Amino acid sequence: MGVFNRFYFLGKPLALCGTAGFLWAQLNNDNDIDKEKLKLTINQADLICQGFKEKQGIPGVSIGVTMHGSFVWRKGYGLADIEQRVPCTPDTVMRIASISKTFTATLAAQFVEKGKLNWNDKIDKYHPDLPKFLFENVPVSITVRQLASHTSGIRHYWKKGDPETDAEFNLPEYYIARPFPTVTESLSLFVNDELLHKPGTTWLYTTHGYTLLSAILERISDDKHSYAELLNDLITKQLDLRNTKLEYPDEIVPNRSRYYWRRSLKEGLRNVAYVDLSYKWAGGGILSNVTDLLLYANNLLQCRQTKLVSSDSNKQLLKSETIRELWSPIVATNRNNTSYGLGWMIAKEQPSSINQCSIPSHIYHTGGAVGATSIILIIPCSNNCSNPRCGICISILTNLQSAREIYQTALDIALLFRHVSSCSNDSKL
């Protein structure tokens, strides 16, 4: 790993190789990048990623970065399959876990644009067959916006009266192994359970809430398409995402990773238990790789920054005003300086202890699944330039359950590339 200097943002250490200190100092006073500076940045990002893998004991890591719409770095580390000694590459397909929620929010936003869905409508307007939700034995109503922003009160993996826990992977619902042939059947897991809080009053993360949102999308779609068909027709086909799909355990998936866990760093790796994610496809059941995720992220970034009125051209998934609404804070989360919008986390700009530097506003989503940890992070242009592709996108996928510090690792690397060129007007890419 070599000798590291430490730079501090908000008092938190960012580990960088000694040569990166020179790089940062130079780039703060020099906006005209060249390939040599980009190469230096990739070297420093490589060291950070290696350190992340080694510190967490992760079998395989896949990472990709884009600057202003162009791929500048993709790399795999370690093994996708330990027993067969299969290398992990940028093409390795893994569980993306809760990043799936961003896809479901995008689908919902497309229906909003078509006039078939309204964020502020009560959900029983679209799904009248649902049982009435109760809070403290009193019937209450839930809106579509509350479902998408985790303020509905619908439970996560524990029921009312059960102790809340940060050790989610000890909860039995993570390890459901039976298939649910339809989204409607998966609703039976939670729709009759009492809400954990009154809708609209508290942020409480819930994967089941996104299962319900997907059931609504199926109801309002033309010809009552399944969630799998909606994902394929409205996103993956549109963007030619060839490795993004729902996980079916028995399907042959080229380049699919194996998944691992360990009780502690002192213990050896183990294969994870068999699970079937059909009960939560919309909230945590999608497979992808970093290449597809970056194509998706850049499309959304371009949607936000484009001046086009319609989303029908250039394969744009959404209108600018729509993605801006998705990326607008609705409720504070349990993470400092972070709010939740509609399917996305939003971190506002933060000052730093270095006068000329700050942590820019960014949008992201992390994911944790049985045997996998993931993140997608986007830093839009802060200069209001004319290039709708301007910005930094990064995705990291791992095949280890509960890999810590993935958010900080992604942010640190994204900031490195942003300091090479924070705006495409400054770039020769």
Side-chain angles (χ1 to χ4, degrees), residues 99-329:
I99 296 175
S100 304
K101 294 178 175 68
T102 73
F103 284 85
T104 305
T106 298
L107 290 172
Q110 290 177 328
F111 281 102
V112 170
E113 287 190 352
K114 295 172 183 176
K116 294 184 176 182
L117 187 70
N118 188 302
W119 295 116
N120 297 318
D121 280 343
K122 297 176 181 178
I123 60 175
D124 51 11
K125 173 181 176 179
Y126 305 105
H127 204 315
D129 298 337
L130 290 171
K132 197 67 178 177
F133 285 97
L134 301 177
F135 175 67
E136 296 182 349
N137 293 319
V138 177
V140 292
S141 296
I142 296 171
T143 67
V144 179
R145 186 181 300 275
Q146 289 165 349
L147 274 185
S149 61
H150 300 292
T151 57
S152 67
I154 291 174
R155 70 176 181 86
H156 194 33
Y157 294 121
W158 58 86
K159 297 182 181 181
K160 191 168 186 176
D162 294 341
E164 293 188 24
T165 176
D166 292 329
E168 285 188 359
F169 289 103
N170 292 333
L171 299 173
E173 278 192 356
Y174 255 106
Y175 302 96
I176 293 176
R178 67 182 178 95
F180 287 78
T182 67
V183 170
T184 298
E185 291 181 57
S186 65
L187 298 180
S188 63
L189 285 171
F190 63 91
V191 290
N192 293 306
D193 296 332
E194 186 169 357
L195 300 183
L196 299 188
H197 63 76
K198 186 176 180 181
T201 61
T202 304
W203 186 79
L204 180 70
Y205 194 81
T206 166
T207 291
H208 290 322
Y210 268 74
T211 300
L212 179 51
L213 180 56
S214 69
I216 291 171
L217 299 182
E218 290 185 343
R219 281 293 188 103
I220 65 177
S221 67
D222 294 334
D223 301 322
K224 302 295 186 290
H225 285 163
S226 68
Y227 178 78
E229 292 169 327
L230 294 175
L231 178 68
N232 186 54
D233 294 345
L234 301 181
I235 298 182
T236 59
K237 276 187 178 179
Q238 293 295 319
L239 301 183
D240 195 24
L241 307 181
R242 301 180 183 183
N243 299 284
T244 301
K245 60 187 70 181
L246 299 185
E247 177 175 327
Y248 295 90
D250 58 351
E251 183 180 1
I252 302 299
V253 179
N255 298 314
R256 176 160 33 181
S257 177
R258 296 289 298 271
Y259 304 108
Y260 305 95
W261 75 289
R262 60 160 57 87
R263 289 193 178 92
S264 70
L265 282 173
K266 295 180 180 180
E267 296 192 18
L269 290 165
R270 300 167 180 258
N271 289 306
V272 298
Y274 174 88
V275 294
D276 189 305
L277 300 181
S278 56
Y279 75 99
K280 59 172 183 179
W281 275 332
I286 296 177
L287 299 173
S288 192
N289 62 18
V290 294
T291 301
D292 273 13
L293 289 177
L294 288 173
L295 291 172
Y296 167 66
N298 275 276
N299 189 278
L300 295 181
L301 178 63
Q302 183 171 338
C303 289
R304 178 189 185 272
Q305 298 176 162
T306 190
K307 304 300 181 184
L308 292 176
V309 176
S310 172
S311 59
D312 296 331
S313 58
N314 297 327
K315 293 186 177 180
Q316 287 188 206
L317 294 176
L318 297 168
K319 299 175 184 177
S320 177
E321 63 191 54
T322 305
I323 192 66
R324 287 175 183 271
E325 184 172 15
L326 295 187
W327 292 355
S328 294

